[in-house]
Amino acid sequence: MKASDGAVIYVGKAIRLRTRVRSYFGEAGKPKLAVAQMMRYVTEVDYIVTETEVEALLLENNLIKAHQPRYNVKLKDDKRYPYLRVTVNEPFPRIHITRKAENDGTRYFGPFVHARSTRQTLKQLTKLFPIRTCTLPLAEVRNKYRVCLDYHIGRCPGPCADKIDVPDYDEIVQKVCQFLSGNTNAVVKELTEQMQAAAEALDFETAAKYRDTLKDVQQAITTQNMDSVSAADEDVIGIAVRTDIACVQLLRVRDGKLLEREHYYLNDADPESLATALSAFISQYYQNAVFVPKTVVLPMQIESMELIENWLSEKQGNRVGLHVPKAGRLRKLQILATKNAEILLTQREQNVVYSSGVEPALVELQELLGLKHPLRRIEAYDISNLGDRFAVGSMVVLEDGKPASAEYRRFKIRSVEGQDDFAMMQEIITRRFRRALADDEKFNKLPDLMLIDGGKGQLSAAQAAMNFCPASSQLPDIPLIALAKRIEEIFVPGKSEPIVLREDNPTLHMIQRLRDEAHRFAVTYHRRLRQKSLSASVLDEIPNVGPRRKQALLQHFGSIEAIREASLDGLLSVKGIPRSVAENIRKHL
């Protein structure tokens, strides 16, 4: 189904095309909301005829992958995951990480969920079974390369320098492939037999090597072992759903052991269409899978179940069954998968506001303060002074959880004499909102929350400024909080006791960073004014003597005293000093 601009917005399959298309126009009853919304944009229906239902399923998958239609249930994250590739078509096969699995005569293992875990697996493998990872083009004999560090640390047997022959190397490759395929029992059995044979032949050094390797393998198996009387390969699927989104949890069981888990989110899913969503997921997930287990455990019956079974069996070359267990070990595993999916959805709801992209810390702060509106803009204020000199204030801004440096503002304190931080805070708040009410474009954005650096005193001063600001009735009710430095207490107007958050709380960290940024901005401005005052001189008081002429005079004469003693002709000899300015300098000094 296509929109007016030719974009594909939905892909489906049907045995009876007429019946399927008519169903979208609601003749059999009121269509679902998502269908009704989609049909507002459909202007053209195109179709392709295939020989079999399996071909239709494959084609549907390919079209969904290619066009990513808006109204299809699809994997949100359609990236390629890493595989381990063993180049068994070479005389001395190598192992490496790749993100593209092809039908090229080599063997692929995976996919792995995380690139980091793939690298760790590869590192562990080369410890257990020395196999080369380099890209050197090796022949069966007469390889004359220099061995690398991997050979010296026992992670490669050195085929590049003919340190091992093809048959012995093939044994190592076979063990690697068995291990990656989940057939760890065969590897353990073979290593045990080799260790015993070497011991019987009194080759204790070789027997010790087999013993150490066997110990490492058994330790690796133990960390991922799950008690089971079965030795089958299974994928166990659980699914949980919330409004408009579902989470699919897949547990990989190989040789009866739980080896890995991974999860995916499906969009446009709801409780009524879970079977459809799960059917779409299975079709897409196994489309590019290198390995399909003999049993795929499902939480429910799905659409086209027999058709998908036939397709998977054809793809794998042996019988693949979709099974919905009612009791026993598989049912327990399926419940475990569903429970994990529920947990993932709960964590997602707690940590991400995915409808608006708001930071989780902002959501927690909003709930903590009991505010109804989201905190899109937070302004923080601070004062910096040295006694009663060079007193300044700062305003820094956080928009959608990120610093908005273009919105930062600074203030010179004008009306306060002496060191009165409360009065200074009141002045900058008053000036900020007075300019906002005057439609000053630099201050026309109003905050959703104000953060004051200080305790109850600073907070009261800010409140007073808001209450007694001219035309304050025109301002919305803007909430204020203050963050005290001593034990990082959050003071809220109208509450006698402060809010104290744990030291590791992300919301507290966000408020601290904003407070510290306001302090940094104020101190930087204060230091700049002090530095400017220290560098001032009597030349600054002379009319028409700016920084360039001041610099030229000091470079020429070396000091103020030498300029004072200079004659009129001496002053005129300085480049850029006309007679009128020279006379002013003489008169002033």
Side-chain angles (χ1 to χ4, degrees), residues 400-586:
D400 292 330
K402 298 178 182 178
S405 56
E407 299 289 324
Y408 288 12
R409 302 290 181 261
R410 58 195 180 200
F411 306 84
K412 279 186 183 178
I413 301 300
R414 299 170 181 169
S415 62
V416 180
E417 295 182 1
Q419 188 172 359
D420 188 343
D421 286 1
F422 300 159
M424 292 177 186
M425 180 64 71
Q426 192 168 346
E427 178 186 326
I428 65 171
I429 297 291
T430 302
R431 286 167 58 187
R432 185 260 182 269
F433 287 103
R434 183 188 297 144
R435 294 181 67 175
L437 292 170
D439 291 330
D440 187 330
E441 62 179 12
K442 292 184 177 180
F443 291 90
N444 57 6
K445 293 182 180 179
L446 296 180
D448 299 307
L449 177 68
M450 295 170 59
L451 171 64
I452 310 300
D453 182 10
K456 287 185 177 180
Q458 284 83 356
L459 183 62
S460 299
Q463 269 189 290
M466 294 291 293
N467 294 333
F468 297 107
C469 178
S472 60
S473 59
Q474 300 178 28
L475 290 172
D477 186 15
I478 301 173
L480 295 92
I481 59 172
L483 183 64
K485 288 188 178 72
R486 187 168 59 88
I487 53 175
E488 306 293 14
E489 297 171 314
I490 301 173
F491 290 96
V492 181
K495 293 186 178 181
S496 57
E497 295 297 323
I499 298 171
V500 180
L501 300 177
R502 290 168 54 95
E503 291 182 1
D504 59 353
N505 188 291
T507 300
L508 177 61
H509 295 167
M510 180 191 69
I511 300 173
Q512 287 173 325
R513 288 195 298 269
L514 185 58
R515 187 268 315 275
D516 295 344
E517 176 69 353
H519 180 71
R520 179 199 66 80
F521 196 57
V523 168
T524 301
Y525 185 40
H526 170 77
R527 287 173 178 168
R528 187 186 302 174
L529 293 181
R530 282 175 55 198
Q531 188 63 34
K532 185 177 180 181
S533 173
L534 293 172
S535 63
S537 71
V538 292
L539 295 177
D540 295 329
E541 302 172 4
I542 302 173
N544 299 320
V545 176
R548 288 188 179 181
R549 286 175 175 170
K550 173 183 170 182
Q551 184 180 8
L553 288 166
L554 288 172
Q555 284 180 345
H556 186 85
F557 291 104
S559 67
I560 298 293
E561 191 62 32
I563 298 172
R564 180 181 288 114
E565 294 176 358
S567 63
L568 185 62
D569 291 338
L571 293 172
L572 290 173
S573 66
V574 179
K575 185 178 180 180
I577 304 294
R579 178 173 290 276
S580 59
V581 174
E583 290 174 350
N584 275 338
I585 294 171
R586 290 272 297 165

Side-chain angles (χ1 to χ4, degrees), residues 183-193 214 217-218 221:
N183 189 9
T184 51
N185 289 336
V187 175
V188 170
K189 182 179 179 182
E190 186 175 350
L191 286 172
T192 303
E193 290 174 353
L214 180 62
V217 170
Q218 289 173 330
I221 295 170

Side-chain angles (χ1 to χ4, degrees), residues 52 54 58 308-320:
T52 65
V54 172
L58 291 171
I308 294 175
E309 275 188 338
N310 294 336
W311 166 58
L312 292 176
S313 299
E314 185 179 313
K315 177 181 175 67
Q316 187 61 18
N318 51 50
R319 182 63 184 167
V320 174

